[in-house]
Amino acid sequence: MPTVHLSLPEAIYKELKEIAEGMGIQVTDLIKVLIRDGLRKIREGDNLVVTAANGRSASEELEDRLAYIEGKIHVLSEILDSTLRRLERLESLVSSVLSVELPTKEE
């Protein structure tokens, strides 16, 4: 039988343990029951809405994270553009300094 290992926050594990004890089963058996129930709901076409600890749905959380990532990409793009402009100016300055012929000292 395939085995799945997962890490859970302590609070979730405690909650699972309390429920399992109330049902007279082990935590692993409770997790199997919850997985089977979730799979059944998905197969039957029910919307399986996963909510985060703050009560928001997973899609809302993902939308927020996507907006944050898009904002970070915009900021990084602006920084990159600014850096490239400064690099071009620096290259121009170096080029102009190198093109200047210095007088040589004749002996």
Side-chain angles (χ1 to χ4, degrees):
M1 177 180 297
T3 302
V4 177
H5 298 274
L6 54 115
S7 299
L8 298 171
E10 189 67 31
I12 291 176
Y13 181 77
K14 281 183 177 181
E15 188 173 355
L16 287 171
K17 188 170 181 165
E18 288 174 14
I19 294 169
E21 286 174 354
M23 296 173 70
I25 60 176
Q26 294 181 356
V27 172
T28 53
D29 293 328
L30 175 60
I31 291 171
K32 290 176 191 175
V33 167
L34 294 172
I35 291 171
R36 276 192 217 111
D37 186 50
L39 290 173
R40 181 187 53 75
K41 286 181 179 180
I42 291 171
R43 270 191 242 108
E44 292 175 358
D46 289 348
N47 287 333
L48 185 64
V49 177
V50 178
T51 57
N54 61 6
R56 299 175 49 137
S57 72
S59 64
E60 290 173 321
E61 291 290 326
L62 287 175
E63 286 176 16
D64 286 352
R65 291 175 77 182
L66 180 59
Y68 174 79
I69 290 169
E70 286 174 341
K72 282 291 192 182
I73 289 172
H74 178 73
V75 168
L76 290 172
S77 178
E78 291 295 320
I79 290 170
L80 180 59
D81 289 343
S82 172
T83 303
L84 290 174
R85 284 191 302 272
R86 293 174 75 187
L87 182 58
E88 286 173 0
R89 279 184 281 179
L90 183 60
E91 287 175 338
S92 176
L93 285 170
V94 169
S95 177
S96 65
V97 166
L98 291 176
S99 67
V100 173
E101 291 189 27
L102 297 174
T104 58
K105 191 175 189 181
E106 294 181 13
E107 296 183 49

